[in-house]
Amino acid sequence: MIKKLALMLLLVSTSSFAQYYKTYDWKSNPKLHTLSSSDLKEASVGILKKNVVEYNKSLFTQGLKRYETQHTIVRVNSDKGISRHNTVYIPMRDVTQVVDIKARTIHPDGNITELNKDNIKEVKNVEEYGDFKIFAIEGAEEGSEIEVLYTVEKEYDMHGNETIQSDYPIKEARFIFITGDLPSKTKAYRTNSKFESVELNGKASQQIVLKDIPAMIEEQYATPDANKIAVAYQCFPSGQNITHEMFWENVVNNIGSQFFPQETSAKVNEDIKGFVKGQENLTVFKVASLVDNFIKSNFNIVKNNNAELSNLDYILTNRSASEFGIIKAYAHYLKALNIEFEFVITANRFEYKFDPEFFSPSMLRDFIIYLPTEDKYISPNRIEYRVGEAPSNLLGNHGLYINKNFEYYFSKIVQADSLFSRIKRTTDITFDDDIESVILKQHQEYYGHWAVTNRAVMNLSPESAKKEFEDYLTGSGIEDKVVETIETKNTDMNPLEYNLPFIVNATMSSESLLEEAGDSYIFQIGKVIGTQSELYQENERMNPIEMDFPNQYDYTITINIPDGYSVDGLDALKIDKSYTGPSGEKLCKFESNYTLNGNKLVITIQEFYRTNEYDLGRYEEFRTVINAASDFNKASILIKAEE
């Protein structure tokens, strides 16, 4: 018995020695690293970011264990850098054991302050991201380096990913994936660096090394979080030849079995009789709209893990469901009404880029329903959307489409109607008798995503927010604007007409738009179109160009010139900038012009963006179009007294 126990202990010792995290440590006598003058100008600089993911066979069972080690060294050069790094959060999701946590501050004078482990706290559900171990870095000052090293044991999961790039520059990053003889796959995103095979502690491993990673910066018309350099990985049990197709098929079968019912509930059929009764000329679009309107008006989505909220009987009885459960409800109502539909699984493109070629559960985050006969979508968990185009945060991402036969395909989620979102605005401008105030009578029609947002604000916001919204609806950027009257139409969130416009009629006055110039007046006509975006930046563009959604603006501004006056400086109203596609078609443009007929000056403006993605290599052309609108916003004309 003693011999057997000794043998087991020897085996445990041998197995433990092979584990990388047990042999890895930081330097016993650390010194400050030498940095360049440009590095020292940064608020903080990552000197090392090392992630190690190690899969290890359990000695006495068939199970696998997963260990994750993170080692970081950061130089903090300013108060901003210190505040960025002086609190450490270690996520506890799927963690079964904390192996070790240590941290230290290396001061400019060479002294070292080490973490007192008694100060490590555990906090629950931080901003709905889950539980964390949290501790403050002690003694950090300008010019010091903060070093953190920890290892956690996690539940076995064959999938994982890690974001490498951050919002500060990193001198060197390493991601090490240790799997030994276990089958595994890796993929790196948005970098030219490649994984290479290495051997660590006698175990087959893969490693990717990146040098001088720039800080990811916030830029307009971009998805910076989703654009960061990242890696994804998979590790499978021994002897299993698992393919990506098998993962996708498993998802399809699981979804199909729950979301494509063979029969529908009697309660569903009873509800349908109620909301379809009396409706005439029911097209597929109208029937789908009735379903969408009914569910969003009568059911609540509850965000918790209560299993009942995914049970159809409970959902239909209590009118409450989880985000997953509400999709079941849609499936039953659509099935009962013989509406052909497909389920689409995708992700918010501002957070994840969906990759059909490398399966990862982390990108299976959002469900929408596709109506193939209509080429339109239903968004079950978006209260503001009704049957139409997909939500703007999903446009441009790929999705997994699943039909009733459990067949699937991948497709980019695109907007079928490039004119879905547009604003049509006519403005009639007059002046009071003393030419001290400008009076604007405005009619606006908002379509598509604009209308969706406007209806949501009008119906779901508190009164205080609605007052702020009034400024947006009546021409933002006019400082002293007085809204005399405002009327909104088509505000109901349950329209049965496709892309019904949200209409605003308003009358406003402003004195600040006019500036006296002797007997004449400078009229800041550009401000009438509202505040515009600008793309002026000193640094080279980093992110690919992504609009929120394709859109178009059509403005007609009629200025009634007072008797005894004429206008001058009209050349400022003529702008024509565009970005053409490979076939010569205009993909985006800003064009303004005018006609002068007697005392009526009529200005026309058309600005559009036919797609939400543009070539980064042609950023300057795109920027020229965006800035053209801003240039017009600064335009003024002279209303001068006739001699």
Side-chain angles (χ1 to χ4, degrees):
M1 178 66 182
I2 294 176
K3 288 183 179 180
K4 288 183 179 179
L5 180 60
L7 179 60
M8 289 174 64
L9 290 173
L10 178 61
L11 288 171
V12 170
S13 175
T14 302
S15 174
S16 298
F17 181 76
Q19 291 173 262
Y20 182 81
Y21 77 87
K22 291 191 174 182
T23 64
Y24 182 77
D25 204 356
W26 58 22
K27 291 181 180 179
S28 57
N29 296 302
K31 305 292 182 184
L32 290 179
H33 294 79
T34 301
L35 298 180
S36 67
S37 58
S38 61
D39 288 334
L40 293 173
K41 292 178 182 178
E42 298 285 347
S44 62
V45 178
I47 295 168
L48 175 68
K49 181 176 183 180
K50 187 173 184 178
N51 297 91
V52 183
V53 176
E54 181 174 6
Y55 284 83
N56 193 58
K57 295 178 182 177
S58 178
L59 186 62
F60 303 111
T61 70
Q62 296 299 312
L64 296 175
K65 292 186 176 182
R66 176 172 53 132
Y67 297 90
E68 293 186 8
T69 298
Q70 185 168 109
H71 184 195
T72 59
I73 305 173
V74 178
R75 172 74 67 87
V76 290
N77 298 319
S78 67
D79 288 340
K80 179 181 177 181
I82 293 171
S83 64
R84 180 186 282 164
H85 300 281
N86 65 358
T87 304
V88 177
Y89 292 84
I90 301 175
M92 290 290 105
R93 182 181 177 86
D94 299 330
V95 171
T96 57
Q97 177 188 181
V98 176
V99 177
D100 192 23
I101 298 175
K102 54 185 181 179
R104 62 188 178 186
T105 302
I106 301 96
H107 299 272
D109 62 6
N111 288 324
I112 297 173
T113 302
E114 294 206 9
L115 169 70
N116 180 351
K117 294 185 179 181
D118 291 337
N119 294 332
I120 300 174
K121 309 298 181 184
E122 183 158 353
V123 291
K124 299 291 185 180
N125 198 25
V126 178
E127 296 181 1
E128 298 186 358
Y129 286 103
D131 300 344
F132 285 79
K133 294 283 188 182
I134 181 174
F135 58 89
I137 294 296
E138 301 172 14
E141 59 184 309
E142 289 186 19
S144 60
E145 291 181 6
I146 297 170
E147 187 169 13
V148 178
L149 175 60
Y150 68 85
T151 298
V152 293
E153 178 186 316
K154 289 189 170 184
E155 297 173 1
Y156 169 68
D157 188 335
M158 63 180 69
H159 309 280
N161 52 70
E162 184 72 33
T163 300
I164 305 298
Q165 196 170 16
S166 192
D167 55 355
Y168 55 89
I170 300 172
K171 304 297 292 182
E172 180 181 312
R174 291 176 179 265
F175 182 85
I176 300 173
F177 189 47
I178 305 172
T179 57
D181 59 0
L182 295 169
S184 62
K185 296 177 182 178
T186 57
K187 186 170 183 177
Y189 292 91
R190 297 168 288 277
T191 177
N192 292 324
S193 299
K194 306 292 183 184
F195 274 98
E196 295 181 353
S197 297
V198 295
E199 187 174 288
L200 296 172
N201 289 6
K203 296 179 72 173
S205 310
Q206 295 183 67
Q207 175 179 257
I208 186 170
V209 180
L210 303 99
K211 302 280 190 178
D212 297 319
I213 304 172
M216 176 56 73
I217 59 176
E218 292 290 330
E219 294 177 312
Q220 286 184 284
Y221 309 111
T223 59
D225 286 341
N227 293 340
K228 290 177 179 176
I229 297 170
V231 296
Y233 55 86
Q234 298 172 340
C235 181
F236 314 125
S238 296
Q240 295 192 21
N241 182 24
I242 300 176
T243 65
H244 290 296
E245 288 72 21
M246 293 168 66
F247 286 124
W248 293 122
E249 289 171 2
N250 183 58
V251 171
V252 169
N253 288 328
N254 284 335
I255 294 299
S257 62
Q258 298 188 65
F259 292 164
F260 289 102
Q262 297 299 313
E263 297 180 356
T264 57
S265 164
K267 176 62 176 172
V268 168
N269 295 325
E270 182 181 332
D271 286 338
I272 288 172
K273 291 178 183 178
F275 66 73
V276 171
K277 184 178 180 181
Q279 299 288 338
E280 298 179 355
N281 302 319
L282 288 179
T283 61
V284 171
F285 172 82
K286 283 193 174 181
V287 173
S289 295
L290 287 169
V291 170
D292 201 16
N293 292 344
F294 176 78
I295 293 179
K296 285 174 177 167
S297 299
N298 293 279
F299 289 74
N300 294 316
I301 294 179
V302 182
K303 293 187 176 182
N304 67 39
N305 296 322
N306 186 340
E308 285 185 321
L309 294 169
S310 294
N311 179 281
L312 184 68
D313 290 335
Y314 179 90
I315 293 168
L316 296 176
T317 300
N318 296 279
R319 303 306 205 205
S320 293
S322 63
E323 290 191 350
F324 189 80
I326 201 68
I327 301 169
K328 288 185 177 180
Y330 272 93
H332 276 258
Y333 285 99
L334 292 172
K335 166 75 174 179
L337 286 162
N338 297 314
I339 300 295
E340 184 181 350
F341 62 93
E342 298 174 358
F343 282 104
V344 186
I345 312 176
T346 184
N348 183 339
R349 64 185 166 101
F350 292 91
E351 298 174 356
Y352 294 93
K353 300 300 185 184
F354 189 100
D355 182 5
E357 298 178 354
F358 196 96
F359 180 84
S360 176
S362 64
M363 59 188 180
L364 306 179
R365 291 177 171 263
D366 286 271
F367 283 83
I368 50 177
I369 299 171
Y370 179 57
L371 305 176
T373 63
E374 308 302 296
D375 199 10
K376 291 179 175 60
Y377 292 88
I378 297 174
S379 304
N381 67 340
R382 297 289 295 270
I383 187 66
E384 74 274 31
Y385 275 90
R386 294 298 184 269
V387 180
E389 300 289 350
S392 59
N393 65 324
L394 306 182
L395 287 176
N397 225 349
H398 279 82
L400 170 67
Y401 288 67
I402 307 169
N403 68 21
K404 63 183 179 182
N405 298 318
F406 296 11
E407 298 167 334
Y408 71 94
Y409 61 96
F410 299 99
S411 176
K412 181 175 271 193
I413 300 170
V414 297
Q415 192 165 281
D417 179 6
S418 64
L419 294 177
F420 177 67
S421 295
R422 60 193 189 277
I423 299 175
K424 296 172 66 176
R425 179 186 297 165
T426 59
T427 306
D428 188 79
I429 296 176
T430 57
F431 304 88
D432 65 1
D433 293 340
D434 297 325
I435 315 183
E436 292 181 349
S437 180
V438 180
I439 301 165
L440 305 94
K441 291 186 177 181
Q442 203 168 75
H443 172 81
Q444 299 180 86
E445 297 176 9
Y446 292 86
Y447 294 84
H449 298 290
W450 301 115
V452 167
T453 301
N454 292 354
R455 288 190 179 99
V457 172
M458 295 299 292
N459 286 276
L460 305 176
S461 298
E463 288 301 318
S464 58
K466 291 179 184 178
K467 289 297 293 182
E468 293 179 13
F469 191 56
E470 184 180 279
D471 178 62
Y472 161 76
L473 292 176
T474 54
S476 59
I478 304 176
E479 296 175 359
D480 69 335
K481 172 185 60 188
V482 176
V483 179
E484 309 287 353
T485 63
I486 183 170
E487 175 192 31
T488 55
K489 296 181 179 180
N490 298 340
T491 59
D492 191 342
M493 293 183 68
N494 292 330
L496 289 177
E497 179 183 327
Y498 173 67
N499 207 5
L500 185 69
F502 178 95
I503 294 175
V504 183
N505 292 311
T507 302
M508 302 156 282
S509 63
S510 167
E511 295 182 2
S512 67
L513 293 177
L514 286 174
E515 180 182 343
E516 288 190 33
D519 292 336
S520 302
Y521 300 88
I522 298 171
F523 180 25
Q524 299 180 67
I525 180 60
K527 289 188 176 181
V528 172
I529 68 170
T531 305
Q532 301 294 308
S533 297
E534 290 182 313
L535 282 177
Y536 296 107
Q537 62 184 61
E538 297 179 2
N539 300 324
E540 183 179 353
R541 175 79 181 194
M542 174 181 289
N543 288 283
I545 305 163
E546 291 191 43
M547 304 286 290
D548 284 344
F549 46 82
N551 58 80
Q552 178 166 315
Y553 309 84
D554 290 289
Y555 298 157
T556 301
I557 304 169
T558 301
I559 302 173
N560 296 279
I561 304 166
D563 292 338
Y565 289 83
S566 60
V567 288
D568 202 359
L570 300 183
D571 286 346
L573 306 178
K574 298 180 67 172
I575 300 176
D576 189 0
K577 302 294 182 182
S578 62
Y579 172 121
T580 58
S583 302
E585 74 281 18
K586 291 184 179 181
L587 296 180
C588 63
K589 80 164 185 177
F590 181 94
E591 182 179 359
S592 62
N593 211 331
Y594 71 90
T595 59
L596 180 60
N597 187 6
N599 73 332
K600 287 191 180 294
L601 174 64
V602 180
I603 304 165
T604 56
I605 300 170
Q606 185 173 77
E607 180 182 7
F608 63 68
Y609 302 87
R610 292 284 185 252
T611 177
N612 61 309
E613 297 177 309
Y614 293 88
D615 186 352
L616 177 58
R618 299 179 63 187
Y619 173 66
E620 289 301 323
E621 296 172 69
F622 175 81
R623 186 169 73 162
T624 298
V625 176
I626 290 288
N627 288 345
S630 178
D631 292 341
F632 186 92
N633 177 253
K634 300 180 181 72
S636 297
I637 60 175
L638 184 67
I639 300 177
K640 63 180 184 179
E642 295 177 341
E643 297 179 359

